[in-house]
Structure formats: C-alpha cells, structure tokens
Amino acid sequence: MPQPKINLNEFADGAFAERVNNALKEVYANIADLNTDPTKKRKVTISMTLSADEQRDLAMVDISVKTTLTPARAIGSKIIIDVDFDGNAVGQELKSNSPGQMMITESGDIANDVGVPIVDEPVLNDDKLIDFRSNRSAKA
C-alpha cells in the first residue's frame, strides 16, 4: 500500500505554506538590505514535531518556521575625548578627519572638527585701518 502524501500547500489549512513564504520574504528583505553583508548565509528552519496518542492512531503536529538572518553591519565613527571646565570627561563625535582640523560642511560653511560652524568676526575695525601708502591712519 503506497504511503499517502501530505500536500504542504494545504497542510494546517495553508498555514504551513504561509509561514514558509513569510520566512522567505524576511530572508529576501535581509539580502536586499544594503546594511548587511551580502555574502553571509541566511537560514530558514522548518520544524515539525509529532506526538502520538496512546492508541498510536493520531499524532498532534506542532509546526514552527524560524529564520536566521544576517545582522546589520557595525557602523564606525570617532569621538573626541576632552575635559570640561569642571574637570569632567566629555566627548563629541569627530566630524572632520583629524582632531583640531577645520572642515567645510555640506552647506559650504566652515566648521570646527566636531561640526560646529565658525562665526566670522571682523578682522579689522574701521577705526584701526592704516593707510600704509602715506604711513598715516586712514581716519586721521
């Protein structure tokens, strides 16, 4: 007598196939995520646990579908560590390539190494301009 086959698309009123398809969608999304390593392996584990009754004519079936996905890659950055006026250690993210190096922001402003814009201050006051051609003050 041939062994009857179970249609996995219809098993548990279609819930088995639905869970497998949902797990595959998770795996596809994880593969498409640019924050993950594309070469790492993903896994879908399907588990069917059967427990028979005393008469051995009926088995209860527990179905579980689990995914093992690739985590997002680690993100690196740098923090400048310093001491404030009260002697407490403080830190800020380094935005430029090197501590103490000024930078130009995406908007074109000049900023310090942690990205704080540097405010332009007038270099000379009009009262202190000197006319070097005649060696006298321009306001004199």
Side-chain angles (χ1 to χ4, degrees), residues 14-82:
F16 176 83
E18 181 181 14
R19 297 234 176 137
V20 171
N21 286 327
N22 287 341
L24 288 172
K25 285 179 188 177
E26 285 181 45
V27 170
Y28 301 153
N30 187 254
I31 290 171
D33 184 349
L34 297 178
N35 292 310
T36 64
D37 183 343
T39 62
K40 297 282 183 178
K41 296 185 182 202
R42 282 81 167 165
K43 182 174 18 175
V44 175
T45 304
I46 301 166
S47 174
M48 296 176 67
T49 306
L50 292 83
S51 60
D53 62 3
E54 286 293 322
Q55 291 77 30
R56 300 172 193 253
D57 62 351
L58 183 65
M60 299 301 296
V61 182
D62 291 323
I63 303 164
S64 66
V65 179
K66 298 177 185 174
T67 57
T68 303
L69 305 176
T70 299
R73 298 179 203 199
I75 300 169
S77 190
K78 294 179 183 177
I79 295 178
I80 298 174
I81 307 295
D82 204 350

